[in-house]
Amino acid sequence: MSNRSAWEHFPHGADVGIRGTGGSLAESFEQAALALTAVVTDPDAVAPAEEVDIACEEEDVELLFVDWLNAVIYEMTTRNMLFCRYRVDIAGNRLTATAAGEPINRQRHQPAVEPKGATYTELKVARLDDGRWLSQCIIDV
């Protein structure tokens, strides 16, 4: 991960904006997924005990980003897991990734909210003037 990679939340009414930046497009997707985890709990409180493979494909990079986040949300919900580490590879219009995490422990993780889905609101995937990549959207909670 680049030392210029980061994630953050930004305000948006009743929902939550997530933003990831990185030295590559894949790093910005990884950081945005960490921001997604941080909507629920502190990612540092999650152990990378199990790995889950995720794949998606879209013609447009912004649609790929939304699909990626929705795939992470799907895996979180159906597996009752939280993830603390993401490895993303993007080749053309196909994303393959591994998410590492553990089953939710309500007492230890104290989940704040349950993300319902990534939206097209405030959706942006772009290269910044300094060469880093930015990936952001609003998460429906």
Side-chain angles (χ1 to χ4, degrees), residues 2-140:
S2 166
N3 61 356
R4 300 181 322 159
S5 299
W7 65 264
E8 66 182 342
H9 296 147
F10 61 93
H12 183 272
D15 295 321
V16 178
I18 62 166
R19 180 178 293 137
T21 56
S24 68
L25 180 61
E27 281 183 9
S28 73
F29 278 37
E30 292 167 356
Q31 292 299 309
L34 280 174
L36 173 62
T37 296
V39 168
V40 180
T41 194
D42 178 0
D44 291 336
V46 180
E50 299 175 36
E51 291 189 342
V52 174
D53 292 328
I54 300 173
C56 42
E57 191 168 339
E58 278 291 344
E59 292 297 321
D60 179 272
V61 70
E62 289 183 335
L63 297 178
L64 183 63
F65 178 62
V66 171
D67 278 3
W68 156 241
L69 293 176
N70 282 327
V72 171
I73 291 168
Y74 174 82
E75 296 298 339
M76 289 169 70
T77 302
T78 60
R79 295 174 185 272
N80 197 34
M81 288 182 72
L82 293 169
F83 301 108
C84 61
R85 187 175 61 222
Y86 301 90
R87 287 190 319 267
V88 173
D89 182 54
I90 300 171
N93 59 354
R94 181 160 174 75
L95 177 150
T96 54
T98 302
E102 67 177 325
I104 295 172
N105 177 321
R106 297 210 176 276
Q107 186 174 9
R108 189 162 50 82
H109 296 130
Q110 299 181 354
V113 296
E114 181 177 341
K116 296 175 186 146
T119 72
Y120 299 120
T121 306
E122 306 254 358
L123 175 60
K124 182 177 182 178
V125 176
R127 190 159 212 152
L128 301 171
D129 291 341
D130 66 5
R132 292 179 306 142
W133 282 89
L134 166 94
S135 299
Q136 73 173 36
C137 73
I138 301 299
I139 300 297
D140 183 16

